[in-house]
mmCIF file of all heavy atoms in Angstrom:
data_model
loop_
_atom_site.group_PDB
_atom_site.id
_atom_site.type_symbol
_atom_site.label_atom_id
_atom_site.label_comp_id
_atom_site.label_asym_id
_atom_site.label_seq_id
_atom_site.Cartn_x
_atom_site.Cartn_y
_atom_site.Cartn_z
ATOM 1 N N ASN A 28 -22.761 148.675 -13.639
ATOM 2 C CA ASN A 28 -22.363 147.830 -12.502
ATOM 3 C C ASN A 28 -21.079 147.103 -12.872
ATOM 4 O O ASN A 28 -20.864 146.699 -14.020
ATOM 5 C CB ASN A 28 -23.461 146.852 -12.122
ATOM 6 C CG ASN A 28 -23.729 145.827 -13.194
ATOM 7 O OD1 ASN A 28 -24.332 146.168 -14.219
ATOM 8 N ND2 ASN A 28 -23.310 144.597 -12.988
ATOM 9 N N LYS A 29 -20.203 146.963 -11.885
ATOM 10 C CA LYS A 29 -18.881 146.375 -12.105
ATOM 11 C C LYS A 29 -18.481 145.536 -10.914
ATOM 12 O O LYS A 29 -18.899 145.781 -9.776
ATOM 13 C CB LYS A 29 -17.829 147.485 -12.288
ATOM 14 C CG LYS A 29 -17.932 148.270 -13.582
ATOM 15 C CD LYS A 29 -17.342 147.491 -14.743
ATOM 16 C CE LYS A 29 -17.289 148.331 -15.999
ATOM 17 N NZ LYS A 29 -16.709 147.561 -17.146
ATOM 18 N N ALA A 30 -17.611 144.542 -11.171
ATOM 19 C CA ALA A 30 -16.890 143.904 -10.080
ATOM 20 C C ALA A 30 -15.772 144.861 -9.646
ATOM 21 O O ALA A 30 -15.196 145.574 -10.473
ATOM 22 C CB ALA A 30 -16.300 142.583 -10.537
ATOM 23 N N ILE A 31 -15.499 144.901 -8.354
ATOM 24 C CA ILE A 31 -14.468 145.822 -7.865
ATOM 25 C C ILE A 31 -13.136 145.578 -8.568
ATOM 26 O O ILE A 31 -12.396 146.514 -8.892
ATOM 27 C CB ILE A 31 -14.326 145.686 -6.339
ATOM 28 C CG1 ILE A 31 -15.507 146.354 -5.655
ATOM 29 C CG2 ILE A 31 -13.029 146.315 -5.845
ATOM 30 C CD1 ILE A 31 -15.455 146.342 -4.147
ATOM 31 N N SER A 32 -12.837 144.313 -8.828
ATOM 32 C CA SER A 32 -11.553 143.977 -9.473
ATOM 33 C C SER A 32 -11.462 144.538 -10.882
ATOM 34 O O SER A 32 -10.378 144.660 -11.450
ATOM 35 C CB SER A 32 -11.356 142.466 -9.488
ATOM 36 O OG SER A 32 -12.394 141.829 -10.185
ATOM 37 N N ASN A 33 -12.612 144.848 -11.494
ATOM 38 C CA ASN A 33 -12.627 145.356 -12.861
ATOM 39 C C ASN A 33 -12.759 146.883 -12.934
ATOM 40 O O ASN A 33 -12.874 147.443 -14.018
ATOM 41 C CB ASN A 33 -13.788 144.728 -13.652
ATOM 42 C CG ASN A 33 -13.601 143.240 -13.851
ATOM 43 O OD1 ASN A 33 -12.473 142.756 -13.879
ATOM 44 N ND2 ASN A 33 -14.695 142.500 -13.980
ATOM 45 N N LEU A 34 -12.752 147.559 -11.791
ATOM 46 C CA LEU A 34 -12.821 149.020 -11.798
ATOM 47 C C LEU A 34 -11.516 149.609 -12.297
ATOM 48 O O LEU A 34 -10.434 149.049 -12.089
ATOM 49 C CB LEU A 34 -13.106 149.533 -10.382
ATOM 50 C CG LEU A 34 -14.509 149.376 -9.823
ATOM 51 C CD1 LEU A 34 -14.537 149.828 -8.355
ATOM 52 C CD2 LEU A 34 -15.528 150.192 -10.629
ATOM 53 N N ASP A 35 -11.640 150.768 -12.939
ATOM 54 C CA ASP A 35 -10.449 151.560 -13.263
ATOM 55 C C ASP A 35 -10.746 152.985 -12.833
ATOM 56 O O ASP A 35 -11.844 153.297 -12.351
ATOM 57 C CB ASP A 35 -10.075 151.483 -14.737
ATOM 58 C CG ASP A 35 -11.223 151.885 -15.652
ATOM 59 O OD1 ASP A 35 -11.882 152.919 -15.368
ATOM 60 O OD2 ASP A 35 -11.492 151.170 -16.636
ATOM 61 N N ASP A 36 -9.775 153.861 -12.985
ATOM 62 C CA ASP A 36 -9.899 155.216 -12.441
ATOM 63 C C ASP A 36 -10.536 156.179 -13.430
ATOM 64 O O ASP A 36 -10.198 157.368 -13.462
ATOM 65 C CB ASP A 36 -8.530 155.737 -12.001
ATOM 66 C CG ASP A 36 -8.636 156.810 -10.903
ATOM 67 O OD1 ASP A 36 -9.714 156.877 -10.291
ATOM 68 O OD2 ASP A 36 -7.652 157.536 -10.680
ATOM 69 N N SER A 37 -11.490 155.688 -14.240
ATOM 70 C CA SER A 37 -12.129 156.535 -15.233
ATOM 71 C C SER A 37 -13.510 157.022 -14.788
ATOM 72 O O SER A 37 -14.152 157.782 -15.504
ATOM 73 C CB SER A 37 -12.260 155.763 -16.549
ATOM 74 O OG SER A 37 -13.091 154.631 -16.384
ATOM 75 N N TYR A 38 -13.981 156.584 -13.618
ATOM 76 C CA TYR A 38 -15.337 156.928 -13.190
ATOM 77 C C TYR A 38 -15.317 158.173 -12.305
ATOM 78 O O TYR A 38 -14.383 158.388 -11.528
ATOM 79 C CB TYR A 38 -15.968 155.755 -12.448
ATOM 80 C CG TYR A 38 -16.103 154.527 -13.298
ATOM 81 C CD1 TYR A 38 -15.197 153.475 -13.201
ATOM 82 C CD2 TYR A 38 -17.122 154.445 -14.257
ATOM 83 C CE1 TYR A 38 -15.306 152.361 -14.003
ATOM 84 C CE2 TYR A 38 -17.239 153.314 -15.058
ATOM 85 C CZ TYR A 38 -16.321 152.284 -14.936
ATOM 86 O OH TYR A 38 -16.439 151.181 -15.744
ATOM 87 N N ASP A 39 -16.375 158.964 -12.438
ATOM 88 C CA ASP A 39 -16.479 160.184 -11.622
ATOM 89 C C ASP A 39 -16.950 159.859 -10.204
ATOM 90 O O ASP A 39 -16.573 160.528 -9.248
ATOM 91 C CB ASP A 39 -17.447 161.163 -12.266
ATOM 92 C CG ASP A 39 -17.013 161.580 -13.668
ATOM 93 O OD1 ASP A 39 -15.809 161.839 -13.846
ATOM 94 O OD2 ASP A 39 -17.864 161.628 -14.570
ATOM 95 N N LEU A 40 -17.819 158.853 -10.070
ATOM 96 C CA LEU A 40 -18.400 158.508 -8.778
ATOM 97 C C LEU A 40 -18.555 156.999 -8.698
ATOM 98 O O LEU A 40 -18.968 156.362 -9.669
ATOM 99 C CB LEU A 40 -19.737 159.228 -8.570
ATOM 100 C CG LEU A 40 -20.421 159.090 -7.205
ATOM 101 C CD1 LEU A 40 -21.154 160.391 -6.855
ATOM 102 C CD2 LEU A 40 -21.403 157.931 -7.169
ATOM 103 N N VAL A 41 -18.211 156.438 -7.542
ATOM 104 C CA VAL A 41 -18.320 154.990 -7.340
ATOM 105 C C VAL A 41 -19.153 154.729 -6.109
ATOM 106 O O VAL A 41 -18.910 155.307 -5.044
ATOM 107 C CB VAL A 41 -16.909 154.350 -7.180
ATOM 108 C CG1 VAL A 41 -17.050 152.852 -6.889
ATOM 109 C CG2 VAL A 41 -16.086 154.562 -8.449
ATOM 110 N N VAL A 42 -20.146 153.836 -6.248
ATOM 111 C CA VAL A 42 -21.023 153.467 -5.147
ATOM 112 C C VAL A 42 -20.739 152.025 -4.766
ATOM 113 O O VAL A 42 -20.667 151.146 -5.638
ATOM 114 C CB VAL A 42 -22.520 153.606 -5.541
ATOM 115 C CG1 VAL A 42 -23.421 153.318 -4.340
ATOM 116 C CG2 VAL A 42 -22.800 154.975 -6.098
ATOM 117 N N THR A 43 -20.537 151.772 -3.482
ATOM 118 C CA THR A 43 -20.251 150.411 -3.012
ATOM 119 C C THR A 43 -20.934 150.184 -1.675
ATOM 120 O O THR A 43 -21.338 151.119 -0.998
ATOM 121 C CB THR A 43 -18.742 150.178 -2.812
ATOM 122 O OG1 THR A 43 -18.216 151.204 -1.968
ATOM 123 C CG2 THR A 43 -17.983 150.172 -4.124
ATOM 124 N N HIS A 44 -21.033 148.905 -1.309
ATOM 125 C CA HIS A 44 -21.439 148.567 0.044
ATOM 126 C C HIS A 44 -20.373 149.099 0.993
ATOM 127 O O HIS A 44 -19.194 149.147 0.682
ATOM 128 C CB HIS A 44 -21.587 147.044 0.191
ATOM 129 C CG HIS A 44 -22.150 146.622 1.520
ATOM 130 N ND1 HIS A 44 -21.355 146.471 2.638
ATOM 131 C CD2 HIS A 44 -23.400 146.318 1.916
ATOM 132 C CE1 HIS A 44 -22.100 146.094 3.649
ATOM 133 N NE2 HIS A 44 -23.354 145.998 3.249
ATOM 134 N N GLN A 45 -20.801 149.499 2.191
ATOM 135 C CA GLN A 45 -19.895 150.149 3.132
ATOM 136 C C GLN A 45 -18.676 149.274 3.463
ATOM 137 O O GLN A 45 -17.594 149.788 3.753
ATOM 138 C CB GLN A 45 -20.625 150.508 4.422
ATOM 139 C CG GLN A 45 -21.207 149.306 5.149
ATOM 140 C CD GLN A 45 -22.120 149.705 6.291
ATOM 141 O OE1 GLN A 45 -22.735 150.767 6.245
ATOM 142 N NE2 GLN A 45 -22.208 148.887 7.310
ATOM 143 N N ASP A 46 -18.833 147.948 3.413
ATOM 144 C CA ASP A 46 -17.709 147.064 3.744
ATOM 145 C C ASP A 46 -16.690 146.960 2.615
ATOM 146 O O ASP A 46 -15.624 146.386 2.800
ATOM 147 C CB ASP A 46 -18.211 145.666 4.091
ATOM 148 C CG ASP A 46 -19.020 145.641 5.379
ATOM 149 O OD1 ASP A 46 -18.832 146.567 6.187
ATOM 150 O OD2 ASP A 46 -19.830 144.731 5.570
ATOM 151 N N LEU A 47 -17.051 147.483 1.436
ATOM 152 C CA LEU A 47 -16.189 147.359 0.255
ATOM 153 C C LEU A 47 -15.583 148.688 -0.191
ATOM 154 O O LEU A 47 -14.814 148.725 -1.146
ATOM 155 C CB LEU A 47 -16.961 146.735 -0.916
ATOM 156 C CG LEU A 47 -17.516 145.317 -0.697
ATOM 157 C CD1 LEU A 47 -18.380 144.917 -1.876
ATOM 158 C CD2 LEU A 47 -16.403 144.318 -0.484
ATOM 159 N N THR A 48 -15.930 149.760 0.491
ATOM 160 C CA THR A 48 -15.521 151.090 0.026
ATOM 161 C C THR A 48 -13.999 151.244 0.004
ATOM 162 O O THR A 48 -13.446 151.809 -0.946
ATOM 163 C CB THR A 48 -16.150 152.170 0.916
ATOM 164 O OG1 THR A 48 -17.570 152.066 0.870
ATOM 165 C CG2 THR A 48 -15.753 153.564 0.433
ATOM 166 N N ASP A 49 -13.317 150.740 1.006
ATOM 167 C CA ASP A 49 -11.855 150.868 1.031
ATOM 168 C C ASP A 49 -11.216 150.169 -0.153
ATOM 169 O O ASP A 49 -10.250 150.682 -0.740
ATOM 170 C CB ASP A 49 -11.302 150.296 2.349
ATOM 171 C CG ASP A 49 -11.579 151.225 3.537
ATOM 172 O OD1 ASP A 49 -11.869 152.406 3.309
ATOM 173 O OD2 ASP A 49 -11.509 150.736 4.692
ATOM 174 N N ARG A 50 -11.724 148.995 -0.522
ATOM 175 C CA ARG A 50 -11.176 148.280 -1.683
ATOM 176 C C ARG A 50 -11.431 149.070 -2.962
ATOM 177 O O ARG A 50 -10.568 149.167 -3.835
ATOM 178 C CB ARG A 50 -11.815 146.884 -1.802
ATOM 179 C CG ARG A 50 -11.276 145.868 -0.801
ATOM 180 C CD ARG A 50 -12.025 144.555 -0.912
ATOM 181 N NE ARG A 50 -11.997 144.027 -2.257
ATOM 182 C CZ ARG A 50 -12.779 143.028 -2.690
ATOM 183 N NH1 ARG A 50 -13.655 142.486 -1.863
ATOM 184 N NH2 ARG A 50 -12.691 142.594 -3.919
ATOM 185 N N ALA A 51 -12.636 149.601 -3.089
ATOM 186 C CA ALA A 51 -12.967 150.372 -4.285
ATOM 187 C C ALA A 51 -12.116 151.628 -4.391
ATOM 188 O O ALA A 51 -11.706 152.032 -5.492
ATOM 189 C CB ALA A 51 -14.455 150.728 -4.277
ATOM 190 N N ARG A 52 -11.846 152.240 -3.265
ATOM 191 C CA ARG A 52 -11.048 153.493 -3.280
ATOM 192 C C ARG A 52 -9.626 153.223 -3.778
ATOM 193 O O ARG A 52 -9.018 154.096 -4.421
ATOM 194 C CB ARG A 52 -11.032 154.102 -1.868
ATOM 195 C CG ARG A 52 -10.425 155.484 -1.823
ATOM 196 C CD ARG A 52 -10.556 156.110 -0.455
ATOM 197 N NE ARG A 52 -11.889 156.633 -0.238
ATOM 198 C CZ ARG A 52 -12.757 156.175 0.652
ATOM 199 N NH1 ARG A 52 -12.408 155.168 1.439
ATOM 200 N NH2 ARG A 52 -13.943 156.721 0.797
ATOM 201 N N GLN A 53 -9.094 152.022 -3.520
ATOM 202 C CA GLN A 53 -7.770 151.682 -4.035
ATOM 203 C C GLN A 53 -7.782 151.556 -5.551
ATOM 204 O O GLN A 53 -6.812 151.901 -6.223
ATOM 205 C CB GLN A 53 -7.305 150.369 -3.403
ATOM 206 C CG GLN A 53 -7.063 150.447 -1.902
ATOM 207 C CD GLN A 53 -6.740 149.099 -1.281
ATOM 208 O OE1 GLN A 53 -6.534 148.127 -2.013
ATOM 209 N NE2 GLN A 53 -6.688 149.046 0.028
ATOM 210 N N GLN A 54 -8.896 151.102 -6.121
ATOM 211 C CA GLN A 54 -9.012 150.928 -7.574
ATOM 212 C C GLN A 54 -9.282 152.251 -8.285
ATOM 213 O O GLN A 54 -8.859 152.465 -9.411
ATOM 214 C CB GLN A 54 -10.137 149.951 -7.905
ATOM 215 C CG GLN A 54 -9.936 148.525 -7.387
ATOM 216 C CD GLN A 54 -8.890 147.771 -8.187
ATOM 217 O OE1 GLN A 54 -7.805 147.500 -7.698
ATOM 218 N NE2 GLN A 54 -9.218 147.439 -9.422
ATOM 219 N N THR A 55 -10.041 153.132 -7.604
ATOM 220 C CA THR A 55 -10.443 154.399 -8.226
ATOM 221 C C THR A 55 -10.186 155.562 -7.277
ATOM 222 O O THR A 55 -11.109 156.155 -6.747
ATOM 223 C CB THR A 55 -11.946 154.357 -8.600
ATOM 224 O OG1 THR A 55 -12.695 154.047 -7.417
ATOM 225 C CG2 THR A 55 -12.232 153.315 -9.651
ATOM 226 N N PRO A 56 -8.927 155.914 -7.067
ATOM 227 C CA PRO A 56 -8.583 156.924 -6.057
ATOM 228 C C PRO A 56 -9.093 158.331 -6.376
ATOM 229 O O PRO A 56 -9.279 159.137 -5.471
ATOM 230 C CB PRO A 56 -7.053 156.888 -6.032
ATOM 231 C CG PRO A 56 -6.656 156.317 -7.339
ATOM 232 C CD PRO A 56 -7.722 155.352 -7.709
ATOM 233 N N SER A 57 -9.325 158.649 -7.650
ATOM 234 C CA SER A 57 -9.744 160.014 -7.984
ATOM 235 C C SER A 57 -11.247 160.191 -8.020
ATOM 236 O O SER A 57 -11.727 161.308 -8.172
ATOM 237 C CB SER A 57 -9.150 160.402 -9.360
ATOM 238 O OG SER A 57 -9.691 159.589 -10.383
ATOM 239 N N ALA A 58 -12.002 159.133 -7.851
ATOM 240 C CA ALA A 58 -13.458 159.228 -7.894
ATOM 241 C C ALA A 58 -14.039 159.648 -6.548
ATOM 242 O O ALA A 58 -13.401 159.494 -5.506
ATOM 243 C CB ALA A 58 -14.077 157.881 -8.308
ATOM 244 N N VAL A 59 -15.247 160.203 -6.585
ATOM 245 C CA VAL A 59 -16.004 160.422 -5.350
ATOM 246 C C VAL A 59 -16.595 159.069 -4.947
ATOM 247 O O VAL A 59 -17.163 158.352 -5.783
ATOM 248 C CB VAL A 59 -17.138 161.430 -5.577
ATOM 249 C CG1 VAL A 59 -17.993 161.572 -4.321
ATOM 250 C CG2 VAL A 59 -16.563 162.782 -5.986
ATOM 251 N N HIS A 60 -16.467 158.687 -3.679
ATOM 252 C CA HIS A 60 -16.941 157.388 -3.218
ATOM 253 C C HIS A 60 -18.118 157.561 -2.273
ATOM 254 O O HIS A 60 -18.082 158.379 -1.353
ATOM 255 C CB HIS A 60 -15.819 156.620 -2.534
ATOM 256 C CG HIS A 60 -14.817 156.066 -3.489
ATOM 257 N ND1 HIS A 60 -14.869 154.795 -3.988
ATOM 258 C CD2 HIS A 60 -13.749 156.661 -4.097
ATOM 259 C CE1 HIS A 60 -13.866 154.606 -4.825
ATOM 260 N NE2 HIS A 60 -13.173 155.733 -4.911
ATOM 261 N N VAL A 61 -19.140 156.779 -2.501
ATOM 262 C CA VAL A 61 -20.350 156.803 -1.689
ATOM 263 C C VAL A 61 -20.606 155.389 -1.160
ATOM 264 O O VAL A 61 -20.623 154.434 -1.923
ATOM 265 C CB VAL A 61 -21.575 157.289 -2.499
ATOM 266 C CG1 VAL A 61 -22.835 157.197 -1.646
ATOM 267 C CG2 VAL A 61 -21.353 158.697 -2.997
ATOM 268 N N SER A 62 -20.769 155.293 0.172
ATOM 269 C CA SER A 62 -21.011 153.994 0.808
ATOM 270 C C SER A 62 -22.505 153.845 1.111
ATOM 271 O O SER A 62 -23.148 154.784 1.555
ATOM 272 C CB SER A 62 -20.229 153.877 2.110
ATOM 273 O OG SER A 62 -18.850 154.018 1.880
ATOM 274 N N VAL A 63 -23.039 152.651 0.870
ATOM 275 C CA VAL A 63 -24.443 152.371 1.182
ATOM 276 C C VAL A 63 -24.521 151.074 1.980
ATOM 277 O O VAL A 63 -23.615 150.240 1.947
ATOM 278 C CB VAL A 63 -25.310 152.248 -0.094
ATOM 279 C CG1 VAL A 63 -25.286 153.524 -0.889
ATOM 280 C CG2 VAL A 63 -24.855 151.065 -0.962
ATOM 281 N N ASP A 64 -25.628 150.899 2.717
ATOM 282 C CA ASP A 64 -25.843 149.623 3.405
ATOM 283 C C ASP A 64 -27.198 149.021 3.060
ATOM 284 O O ASP A 64 -27.573 147.983 3.587
ATOM 285 C CB ASP A 64 -25.707 149.777 4.932
ATOM 286 C CG ASP A 64 -26.736 150.733 5.509
ATOM 287 O OD1 ASP A 64 -27.536 151.298 4.731
ATOM 288 O OD2 ASP A 64 -26.744 150.906 6.743
ATOM 289 N N ASN A 65 -27.955 149.703 2.187
ATOM 290 C CA ASN A 65 -29.235 149.200 1.716
ATOM 291 C C ASN A 65 -29.310 149.485 0.228
ATOM 292 O O ASN A 65 -29.443 150.622 -0.194
ATOM 293 C CB ASN A 65 -30.383 149.894 2.467
ATOM 294 C CG ASN A 65 -31.743 149.361 2.072
ATOM 295 O OD1 ASN A 65 -31.954 148.902 0.957
ATOM 296 N ND2 ASN A 65 -32.692 149.439 2.991
ATOM 297 N N PHE A 66 -29.189 148.433 -0.573
ATOM 298 C CA PHE A 66 -29.102 148.625 -2.014
ATOM 299 C C PHE A 66 -30.424 149.065 -2.641
ATOM 300 O O PHE A 66 -30.441 149.701 -3.671
ATOM 301 C CB PHE A 66 -28.644 147.325 -2.700
ATOM 302 C CG PHE A 66 -27.224 146.961 -2.396
ATOM 303 C CD1 PHE A 66 -26.905 146.097 -1.381
ATOM 304 C CD2 PHE A 66 -26.191 147.502 -3.135
ATOM 305 C CE1 PHE A 66 -25.600 145.766 -1.102
ATOM 306 C CE2 PHE A 66 -24.873 147.190 -2.877
ATOM 307 C CZ PHE A 66 -24.570 146.315 -1.847
ATOM 308 N N MET A 67 -31.538 148.696 -2.037
ATOM 309 C CA MET A 67 -32.826 148.968 -2.640
ATOM 310 C C MET A 67 -33.389 150.347 -2.277
ATOM 311 O O MET A 67 -34.099 150.949 -3.070
ATOM 312 C CB MET A 67 -33.855 147.906 -2.206
ATOM 313 C CG MET A 67 -33.507 146.499 -2.689
ATOM 314 S SD MET A 67 -33.332 146.391 -4.471
ATOM 315 C CE MET A 67 -34.942 146.937 -4.993
ATOM 316 N N ALA A 68 -33.098 150.830 -1.095
ATOM 317 C CA ALA A 68 -33.749 152.070 -0.651
ATOM 318 C C ALA A 68 -32.800 152.952 0.140
ATOM 319 O O ALA A 68 -33.170 153.541 1.142
ATOM 320 C CB ALA A 68 -34.995 151.746 0.176
ATOM 321 N N SER A 69 -31.569 153.073 -0.300
ATOM 322 C CA SER A 69 -30.600 153.866 0.436
ATOM 323 C C SER A 69 -30.881 155.357 0.274
ATOM 324 O O SER A 69 -31.099 155.839 -0.842
ATOM 325 C CB SER A 69 -29.184 153.565 -0.048
ATOM 326 O OG SER A 69 -28.248 154.430 0.577
ATOM 327 N N PRO A 70 -30.864 156.120 1.368
ATOM 328 C CA PRO A 70 -31.043 157.576 1.261
ATOM 329 C C PRO A 70 -29.876 158.228 0.514
ATOM 330 O O PRO A 70 -30.005 159.364 0.055
ATOM 331 C CB PRO A 70 -31.108 158.041 2.711
ATOM 332 C CG PRO A 70 -30.430 156.966 3.497
ATOM 333 C CD PRO A 70 -30.725 155.687 2.778
ATOM 334 N N ARG A 71 -28.771 157.529 0.392
ATOM 335 C CA ARG A 71 -27.629 158.086 -0.337
ATOM 336 C C ARG A 71 -27.946 158.299 -1.817
ATOM 337 O O ARG A 71 -27.334 159.154 -2.469
ATOM 338 C CB ARG A 71 -26.389 157.195 -0.193
ATOM 339 C CG ARG A 71 -25.963 156.862 1.221
ATOM 340 C CD ARG A 71 -25.753 158.104 2.089
ATOM 341 N NE ARG A 71 -24.841 159.064 1.520
ATOM 342 C CZ ARG A 71 -23.513 159.016 1.681
ATOM 343 N NH1 ARG A 71 -22.976 158.069 2.423
ATOM 344 N NH2 ARG A 71 -22.752 159.917 1.149
#
């Protein structure tokens, strides 16, 4: 787990809340990004 501000482009896949995905994509443009809206039981 990371703060978005501490992300770098070394991760293969990044999971974020749907409202934060655009910010995360700027930090890690080469990763696969997955958006969720339920942290405990997301079908994603």
Side-chain angles (χ1 to χ4, degrees):
N28 66 286
K29 290 282 187 180
I31 286 182
S32 59
N33 294 332
L34 286 174
D35 56 45
D36 205 17
S37 62
Y38 298 101
D39 301 317
L40 186 145
V41 177
V42 185
T43 53
H44 186 276
Q45 61 189 29
D46 293 338
L47 299 174
T48 302
D49 286 342
R50 285 176 55 193
R52 189 174 281 114
Q53 294 174 9
Q54 297 286 109
T55 56
S57 64
V59 175
H60 286 265
V61 176
S62 301
V63 300
D64 62 358
N65 183 331
F66 290 95
M67 296 302 302
S69 174
R71 305 306 305 274

